[in-house]
Structures are given as structure tokens and as C-alpha cells.
Amino acid sequence: GVQTCALPIFATDLQKTAISDPAPSEESAQPKRNRQKERLARRAAEQEAEAIKAEEEAAKLPNWKRQERTAMLKAFKTHKLDEKEIRPDGHCLFSSVADQLDQAGIDLRTMNEAEKTEAFRYKAVRRMAAKYIECHPDQFEAFLEEPLPAYVRKIENSAEWGGQVELIALAKSYNVEICVLQDGRLDKFSPEETEEETEKIWLAYYHHGYGLGEHYNSLRKAP
């Protein structure tokens, strides 16, 4: 009699337990989801605060690109010049000089027909700069960080950027005064001393305006 009475009671207890189990399980899971939401909300708030702080810090810094462009546009207007964009490919100084010499009707002293096309005229200008530097080592060796022969080869045969050394060499090679506008300031690179008035060519130099770094554009006389 004891056994037959105990079995139904035990089965009933199991059934009740099985039915009532899901309810406490759902209740216990709910706080976990809330805690996760709270963590996500805190992180989102932290990220927003970091973004606001970054914007505030950026606002305190001058916008060099905007300032440079504003100064250059003002200088273009002062000197009555229009800008021609040159491809930022490492050859921009030499391509800008080639464009300016062409505008002035000055022979680039090309060696072959290919160099007369716009895409390759910079090669002739590179060669002229390299040749002048090579023939006047006393003028340039002190400014170079490598042996002059290696530097000359790099300027003539690679996409090495040009700078002041090349501007000096080109002004003397082509007997022109190279006028460079930078941040609205005018820098001049003069040819050999002569009593004759020399042709002026104009370049724009950017330090901040282009993603790859320093860049030269050609400046033509405004109509």
C-alpha cells in the first residue's frame, strides 16, 4: 500500500517541477540581457564622448590646407595668374616647368619625338637639371645627402621629387627666372647674371594641399 501511494505523489511532484521550471529560468535570464544592454549603452556613450573630444581638439588646430589654399588664391589674383593642375606623380616640378617653357615658347631641348608629347616632356627637363648639377658640383655638393653621381642618376632616371636644387639648375639651364608662389609668398630662382631681361615662368608650390605631400602646379597668365 505504501509503494502504490508513493508513486503517484512522486510523479506529480516531477510534473509540477517540469511545468514550473521555465518560469524561474526566464526570470533569471532577464537581468543578464539588461546588463548587456547597459554595457553596450555605456560603451556607446563613451565612444560619443571620445568623438566629441576629438572634434573639439581638431577645432583648436588650424586647418593648414584651407589656410594654404586661401593664401594661394589671393596670390593668384594679385599676380593675375590661373592655375593648371599637374599630375601628382613625382614628376610634377619638371612637368610644371615643361608646361611653362612651352607657354613661353622656349625650346625644351628634347632629344627625340616622344619627349615632345605632354606625357614625356618632363624627361627632357629632368635631363637638363641633372646635366647642370653634374657639370657644376661645386654649387650643389654641399646641399646633397648622398654622392653627387648617385643623386644625378636619380634625378634623371627616376620619379624622385625635385626641389630647390633642381629649381636653381633649371633657371640657369633655360635662362629663365622661376617664380614660385608658396603660401602666398613669392620666391625667385634666377638664371646666370645677365644684363638682358629674362623670361619669367610661374609655379605654385603646395605643402599641405595634396595627399601625397609636396606638389607643384603650373601657373599661366590669366586672360
Side-chain angles (χ1 to χ4, degrees):
V2 175
Q3 289 180 346
T4 56
C5 185
L7 282 171
I9 295 171
F10 183 61
T12 304
D13 288 345
L14 281 175
Q15 189 177 14
K16 286 181 179 177
T17 304
I19 293 169
S20 60
D21 266 347
S25 175
E26 286 178 3
E27 289 173 4
S28 62
Q30 190 65 30
K32 289 182 181 178
R33 287 201 295 270
N34 285 342
R35 285 197 294 272
Q36 186 178 13
K37 285 182 180 179
E38 288 171 8
R39 283 197 299 271
L40 291 172
R42 279 199 303 272
R43 182 57 189 148
E46 289 170 3
Q47 288 176 335
E48 185 178 358
E50 288 170 3
I52 292 171
K53 185 178 179 181
E55 287 178 5
E56 290 173 349
E57 290 297 321
K60 294 175 184 176
L61 297 173
N63 187 327
W64 297 115
K65 184 176 180 178
R66 184 176 64 243
Q67 289 184 2
E68 180 180 58
R69 187 62 180 161
T70 300
M72 292 294 270
L73 289 173
K74 184 178 179 181
F76 297 163
K77 187 175 181 181
T78 299
H79 295 283
K80 297 180 172 60
L81 297 166
D82 283 339
E83 187 173 32
K84 182 190 177 183
E85 288 280 341
I86 299 295
R87 186 194 303 273
D89 55 5
H91 303 295
C92 59
L93 169 58
F94 306 98
S95 295
S96 295
V97 169
D99 180 72
Q100 283 292 292
L101 294 174
D102 186 57
Q103 292 293 304
I106 297 172
D107 183 15
L108 295 181
R109 303 176 202 173
T110 55
M111 290 179 64
N112 55 59
E113 286 298 317
E115 289 177 353
K116 292 181 181 179
T117 65
E118 184 174 359
F120 293 99
R121 287 183 300 171
Y122 66 78
K123 289 188 175 182
V125 179
R126 275 190 174 279
R127 185 171 55 251
M128 287 299 293
K131 183 179 178 181
Y132 188 90
I133 295 167
E134 184 178 33
C135 294
H136 301 82
D138 55 314
Q139 294 184 29
F140 300 105
E141 278 183 321
F143 301 101
L144 305 180
E145 297 179 355
E146 61 187 298
L148 188 136
Y151 184 84
V152 167
R153 285 195 300 272
K154 192 157 54 176
I155 290 301
E156 183 171 359
N157 300 315
S158 76
E160 181 73 12
W161 292 358
Q164 291 193 9
V165 166
E166 288 67 44
L167 287 167
I168 294 167
L170 290 171
K172 296 180 184 298
S173 295
Y174 289 107
N175 193 34
V176 293
E177 184 174 60
I178 303 178
C179 303
V180 181
L181 290 176
Q182 175 184 351
D183 280 329
R185 183 183 76 244
L186 175 59
D187 293 325
K188 295 182 179 181
F189 298 85
S190 300
E192 300 290 356
E193 292 293 333
T194 176
E195 293 182 2
E196 297 180 8
E197 187 175 347
T198 56
E199 183 77 34
K200 287 183 172 63
I201 67 173
W202 293 80
L203 308 180
Y205 168 80
Y206 291 92
H207 188 68
H208 305 286
Y210 289 77
L212 292 178
E214 301 174 16
H215 181 71
Y216 288 89
N217 277 334
S218 173
L219 295 174
R220 297 176 173 184
K221 293 178 181 178

